[in-house]
Amino acid sequence: MIRQLADALDLFHAAAEEVCRIGQYSLDTTGRFSLVLSGGSTPRGLYALLAEHPYRSQVDWKKTEFFWGDERAVPPNHPDSNFRMAKEAMLDKLDVPAGRIHRIEAERADIDGAARDYELKIEDVLGRVPGVGRRPPHFNLFLLGMGDDGHTASLFPNTAALLEKQRWVVAQDVPRPPSPRITMTPPLINAAHYIMFLVSGSSKADVLAEVLQGPRDPLRYPAQLIRPLTGEVTWFVDRAASSKLLQHHRTEA
Ligand code: 6PG
């Protein structure tokens, strides 16, 4: 599903409403809400809104479990840290207990060990999925962005993580700084109940049309790998980002 909004501010409000709707629903029905945050610059406006009236009182944020879909190999106080961005824009203002904030320790020298430890952390917090073998747990809500090359999380074109079938979290070198990065992999992302992409600005228009309406080529456009098994995916896009989409695919919100 595609929701087209007029501009970035409308997009952030529509996304904030949806995050709160899913958060409330998750807490009401299961007593918990697991939320995976995206990095980059686009979600900052959403995070800032969530920390303000009316959204801040619509979800019991103190019971929300916060994760990150990817992280850059920088210390947590570094300007490029995805953790730092979310902390400053939202988490500090919502007084979320430290025990609910599960950051990726991508600054560690043993970055592979940090990726493996994050898998254990996820299983520890969300619980083991019953059944044969080790199955990826289901996050309630997964936020994603997309780069102008079609990457999402830190799943970059033609990189090994795109083909990963067993691991849920891996470290890899990526073609854009900061590198290396730790990223969740498609099997874990696609197990989520609900996925929201946020895409804003004209620099994303060409790639958005390729990803949503072009031929399938996920090694070139990794965002095409995101197809939840049983969950839903919604693309929140503004008019600038969606200007190259064919008209009949657009849904005005
Ligand atoms: C990251 C990401 C990444 C991001 C896109 C879009 O750590 O960089 O999580 O996938 O969402 O690169 O970034 P912008 O919002 O800055 O365009």
Side-chain angles (χ1 to χ4, degrees), residues 7-220:
D7 55 25
L9 188 61
D10 277 7
L11 186 157
F12 296 142
H13 276 285
E17 277 172 27
E18 193 67 344
V19 170
C20 290
R21 188 183 71 78
I22 294 166
Q24 272 172 342
Y25 176 80
S26 302
L27 285 162
D28 288 350
T29 52
T30 67
R32 61 194 313 168
F33 176 34
S34 52
L35 172 61
V36 184
L37 302 176
S38 55
S41 55
T42 306
R44 181 184 284 274
L46 166 65
Y47 299 163
L49 279 186
L50 290 174
E52 286 171 12
H53 178 78
Y55 306 109
R56 63 173 296 135
S57 56
Q58 290 182 358
V59 172
D60 191 345
W61 297 108
K62 292 188 172 64
K63 288 189 187 157
T64 301
E65 306 285 356
F66 291 91
F67 293 86
W68 277 259
D70 72 319
E71 186 57 277
R72 296 98 179 261
V74 295
N77 58 355
H78 190 279
D80 288 333
S81 163
N82 287 338
F83 163 74
R84 176 183 152 140
M85 192 277 272
K87 180 176 184 301
E88 290 182 353
M90 164 171 71
L91 299 174
D92 284 349
K93 296 174 186 153
L94 293 173
D95 293 324
V96 178
R100 304 260 191 225
I101 299 175
H102 313 293
R103 77 171 183 90
I104 305 176
E105 296 176 349
E107 75 280 14
R108 278 170 42 182
D110 63 330
I111 193 164
D112 286 321
R116 287 178 192 278
D117 285 350
Y118 205 56
E119 290 191 3
L120 298 176
K121 167 64 77 180
I122 292 165
E123 199 164 56
D124 190 39
V125 176
L126 269 60
R128 207 183 155 82
V129 177
V132 181
R134 186 168 168 267
R135 302 186 194 190
H138 311 289
F139 289 110
N140 293 122
L141 176 57
F142 208 119
L143 301 179
L144 285 171
M146 183 174 69
D148 56 13
D149 58 355
H151 83 263
T152 189
S154 282
L155 298 168
F156 282 80
N158 299 306
T159 55
L162 305 184
L163 304 173
E164 183 58 50
K165 297 284 183 284
Q166 305 299 325
R167 298 277 307 275
W168 305 341
V169 183
V170 297
Q172 68 170 357
D173 290 324
V174 300
R176 284 194 193 181
S179 176
R181 301 193 188 188
I182 289 181
T183 185
M184 291 190 188
T185 62
L188 178 59
I189 300 173
N190 284 329
H193 291 301
Y194 199 99
I195 297 174
M196 286 168 54
F197 274 95
L198 265 55
V199 185
S200 164
S202 56
S203 66
K204 310 277 176 76
D206 287 320
V207 74
L208 187 70
E210 286 297 331
V211 166
L212 293 180
Q213 297 175 343
R216 190 164 162 75
D217 188 357
L219 290 181
R220 181 164 177 204

Side-chain angles (χ1 to χ4, degrees), residues 218-251:
L219 290 181
R220 181 164 177 204
Y221 300 115
Q224 289 184 335
L225 288 168
I226 306 310
R227 305 213 281 196
L229 296 177
T230 56
E232 283 177 42
V233 56
T234 301
W235 290 76
F236 289 77
V237 299
D238 63 11
R239 209 170 271 152
S242 58
S243 60
K244 304 263 173 86
L245 290 182
L246 297 178
Q247 189 63 38
H248 68 273
H249 278 262
R250 295 189 195 167
T251 313

